Amino acid sequence: MLDGCLRRFKGLEFDQPSLAYPFVQLAYSKLQQAALNPNSDIELKDWCLKRMQHLTVLSLEFCNRQPKGDWDKESNQLIESHVHMMASLGWNEPRKHDQGNRPLH
């Protein structure tokens, strides 16, 4: 899913940006769904969150290349939403009961 969405995004990015952007958002939403699932393995959650961070950066770079206006608003919403979600998960916080004591590779 992730690979397919990224390939479609890259193929449409410059010629049809309004068609390209939803593919990044689709990939992000599927990763978010897995990361927020309480039954997901901790390593899967970590993998998904790292990819979501990458997709957020990719989305912001994309928004910054577009004509100003609605894309500025989209960029701000992306940042706020992603920061809020990561803060609510406390993923970067040291919580032994949630994340375990072993390092994830």
Side-chain angles (χ1 to χ4, degrees), residues 47-103:
W47 186 89
C48 290
L49 291 169
K50 287 176 182 174
R51 296 319 167 281
M52 289 166 61
Q53 289 176 337
H54 170 77
L55 290 176
T56 298
V57 171
L58 182 68
S59 297
L60 290 171
E61 290 172 347
F62 174 82
C63 288
N64 287 336
R65 288 192 305 268
Q66 304 309 309
K68 300 298 177 199
D70 290 339
W71 290 106
D72 287 336
K73 183 179 177 183
E74 180 67 20
S75 179
N76 289 333
Q77 286 177 329
L78 279 169
I79 294 167
E80 289 180 28
S81 297
H82 185 72
V83 167
H84 178 72
M85 187 204 59
M86 294 301 279
S88 71
L89 292 174
W91 201 251
N92 293 325
E93 300 296 321
R95 296 189 315 183
K96 293 178 185 171
H97 66 279
D98 283 348
Q99 297 175 354
N101 294 326
R102 58 190 165 86

Side-chain angles (χ1 to χ4, degrees), residues 2-43:
L2 176 60
D3 185 54
C5 286
L6 288 174
R7 286 176 189 257
R8 292 294 294 157
F9 170 76
K10 287 294 183 185
L12 297 167
E13 180 178 14
F14 295 104
D15 296 330
Q16 297 177 306
S18 62
L19 295 178
Y21 186 69
F23 284 102
V24 176
Q25 297 308 300
L26 174 62
Y28 186 96
S29 70
K30 293 298 183 179
L31 291 169
Q32 185 178 36
Q33 185 178 20
L36 296 177
N37 183 339
N39 296 322
S40 292
D41 180 72
I42 193 78
E43 290 179 4

